Amino acid sequence: MLDIGVNVIVLSWHGLTGSDGEGVQTNKVTPVVFDVAEEMGMKIAFHLEPYEGRTAKSVRYDVQHVIDTYGESEAFYRVNYKGEQLPLFYIYDSYHIPSEEWKRYLKKGGPLRYGKYNSVFIGLYVGISSRDHIKDSKFDGFYTYFASSGITPGSNPGTWKDLEQWALQKRNKYRTDVAARLRLPRHTGDR
């Protein structure tokens, strides 16, 4: 993948005990993924997936676990954000947790905003109502996830220019789905 310019993978992670739709406990396979990434010279960022009982508080402990376990690995991805090299976490279905709950952990001085756990948190943008949730939750930015047009209003490339303008006004980081950003010619969104 390095030979085509891909040096960071975003790993879906379902918490300490959760599993993906096929029953794979992602926490158990993550050490192997890190070993391979280190061998290949790749980096790994985390896509924190929903799991039963997920709250902003449980995500705090997930982030602490991830950083404590993988933070020293050469494969652990950090992004330059406001002059610091910080871990990057995408939060899938972030809107299922009230913004007041997120704000407790993501506001300036919150438990995920200082010391070794200070990170960049990117919330999921689904549609126009996501704007207030992302802003009020104190996410550092947002992403649209879906690469196929029409799945959500946020996945429609026709809205991305407006989203970019909104992000610039709010000083948010803005990310569309990686497949859309790479403009993969055969990506249909169903693979």
Side-chain angles (χ1 to χ4, degrees):
M1 291 194 344
L2 291 171
D3 58 338
I4 62 168
V6 176
N7 63 353
V8 179
I9 60 171
V10 181
L11 177 69
S12 286
W13 193 75
H14 294 81
L16 292 170
T17 59
S19 58
D20 67 11
E22 297 174 7
V24 175
Q25 287 188 306
T26 52
N27 188 51
K28 290 185 178 181
V29 299
T30 302
V32 175
V33 176
F34 265 86
D35 288 345
V36 171
E38 286 176 359
E39 275 182 37
M40 295 179 65
M42 302 218 29
K43 302 287 186 187
I44 298 174
F46 281 78
H47 189 249
L48 302 182
E49 300 280 356
Y51 53 82
E52 190 173 331
R54 184 176 81 163
T55 63
K57 184 177 183 177
S58 71
V59 169
R60 169 195 180 178
Y61 295 117
D62 292 339
V63 167
Q64 290 173 335
H65 169 79
V66 165
I67 292 172
D68 288 345
T69 306
Y70 303 106
E72 298 300 317
S73 168
E74 289 187 25
F76 190 71
Y77 183 65
R78 294 177 185 272
V79 63
N80 186 348
Y81 188 67
K82 298 183 179 180
E84 293 184 71
Q85 293 296 313
L86 300 177
L88 173 68
F89 292 94
Y90 292 89
I91 313 292
Y92 188 70
D93 282 352
S94 52
Y95 58 89
H96 286 294
I97 297 173
S99 56
E100 302 79 36
E101 197 176 324
W102 283 119
K103 185 177 178 178
R104 278 185 230 131
Y105 298 94
L106 300 181
K107 68 183 178 185
K108 188 175 182 175
L112 293 174
R113 293 301 191 190
Y114 63 89
K116 77 186 238 183
Y117 303 117
N118 189 15
S119 301
V120 176
F121 295 94
I122 308 293
L124 179 63
Y125 182 94
V126 179
I128 197 84
S129 63
S130 300
R131 291 182 182 197
D132 286 339
H133 186 268
I134 288 164
K135 178 178 61 75
D136 295 344
S137 297
K138 303 300 182 191
F139 283 107
D140 300 298
F142 59 91
Y143 70 114
T144 58
Y145 184 77
F146 301 102
S148 294
S149 185
I151 293 176
T152 69
S155 69
N156 178 351
T159 66
W160 292 351
K161 190 67 174 165
D162 178 57
L163 288 175
E164 182 180 23
Q165 291 303 312
W166 177 74
L168 291 171
Q169 290 170 353
K170 300 297 179 193
R171 291 186 168 80
N172 277 322
K173 293 286 181 193
Y174 167 66
R175 297 176 183 272
T176 57
D177 175 87
V178 66
R181 292 176 65 218
L182 292 174
R183 294 176 184 82
L184 297 177
R186 291 183 300 276
H187 182 74
T188 62
D190 59 356
R191 311 180 235 178

